[in-house]
Amino acid sequence: MNTVLFDSGVSDEARRQQLYEGQLFVYSATPASSGLVTLARQLIREAFGTLDPETAQYHMPVEQYAATLAELKPKFIHHPESKKFIQSLLKERGCDLERTYFDVPRLRTATSDDYLTTGIAYAFHPHRDTWYSAPQCQLNWWIPIYDIESGRSMALHPRYWAQPIRNSSHLYNYAEWNEKSRFNAAQHIKSDSRVQPRAEEPVELDPQIRVVSPVGGVLIFSGAQLHSTVPNMTGRARFSIDFRTVNFDDAVEMRGAPNIDSKCTGTTMNDYLRGTDLAHLPQELIARYDTPPVSR
Ligand SMILES: [Fe+2]
């Protein structure tokens, strides 16, 4: 990992290959990414009413803030327009929609001053998505909704691209997580008791890379990158969109970033929807990735 490619003109295939080698791609805002941002802003505005969403945390009890997000986030995730914008965005980026699968976009919030860092606004500790049952070919797409600065962005930790970390991913199985933990995120306000895979040794967060792009800019990185939420002390909350993609051929051929330390079981493969008609991946392909939970 040594390069950030900005507004690169390479093909989707060449881009995927470089992403699997740890490189980062950043693109300027496009009509589709801006459309997705406009939709998110509209829903955020409706949720917070007259309050400025970036500072609303200073004007409401944390329970009310968590409840507001609990209503807002599913609205964005399941909004029919949000999938359409992603389809357009993938097309703009040269992806073959027949062979590109995506999951529904998430709306993330990183509040300031440790106001709410659990549950519905979880501040992610350093992790690889591949510790959370994502396939090695998963790519993450990340888009800021309002202007951000370094202090409220997300961080990548390049030191660990090729270096394994002792971690608890062996305890994680996606199906088990969905059953037990996922749907009560908003209840975790003061603390978060959900078991998540994490490093079991000290992690050197520096050097780190934080990509700060204008609103609607798109950062793409491998799900195997170690990344975390930057502890936000800026006095303004960060709102961002992210979603993930998987390429069909890479999934079939088991291509992707090398797996250096992930031991989780299960798979997120059932979450991805085909770019053309939102069909799921074939069941037999999902089954190849769906390793059974370790009995304990
Ligand atoms: Fe992540």
Side-chain angles (χ1 to χ4, degrees), residues 1 22 24 124-128 154-163 165 203-210 221 224-231:
M1 171 186 191
L24 307 176
F124 270 96
H125 55 276
H127 68 282
R128 308 183 200 275
M154 56 152 286
L156 294 139
H157 308 287
R159 172 175 158 72
Y160 297 99
W161 172 252
Q163 184 178 313
I165 305 172
V203 173
E204 286 178 29
L205 296 179
D206 291 308
Q208 55 182 273
I209 296 175
R210 303 174 182 182
F221 60 98
Q225 293 277 6
L226 193 76
H227 58 287
S228 63
T229 306
V230 172

Side-chain angles (χ1 to χ4, degrees), residues 239-283:
F239 289 83
S240 58
I241 298 163
D242 58 83
F243 63 93
R244 303 92 189 268
T245 57
V246 158
N247 174 273
F248 178 78
D249 302 304
D250 291 350
V252 168
E253 300 297 329
M254 298 259 176
R255 283 192 289 261
N259 180 7
I260 55 170
D261 60 12
S262 175
K263 296 193 174 65
C264 54
T265 57
T267 183
T268 57
M269 289 294 256
N270 198 43
D271 288 355
Y272 310 106
L273 308 171
R274 184 158 56 195
T276 47
D277 58 1
L278 309 182
H280 288 271
L281 284 158
Q283 277 308 313

Side-chain angles (χ1 to χ4, degrees), residues 77-78 102-104 106 108 124 128-135 138 168-183 194-197 244 262-272 280 286 289-294 296:
I77 289 173
H78 301 298
F102 65 96
D103 74 352
V104 289
R106 318 283 157 161
R108 310 272 183 194
F124 270 96
R128 308 183 200 275
D129 282 18
T130 48
W131 290 352
Y132 286 77
S133 309
Q138 180 185 288
S168 60
S169 60
H170 58 282
L171 298 174
Y172 189 87
N173 175 278
Y174 186 60
E176 283 184 354
W177 165 263
N178 274 339
E179 237 169 68
K180 288 184 200 152
S181 307
R182 194 174 189 178
F183 297 108
R194 298 173 298 167
V195 177
Q196 306 213 25
R244 303 92 189 268
S262 175
K263 296 193 174 65
C264 54
T265 57
T267 183
T268 57
M269 289 294 256
N270 198 43
D271 288 355
Y272 310 106
H280 288 271
I286 295 171
Y289 283 81
D290 195 8
T291 46
V294 180
R296 44 178 186 272

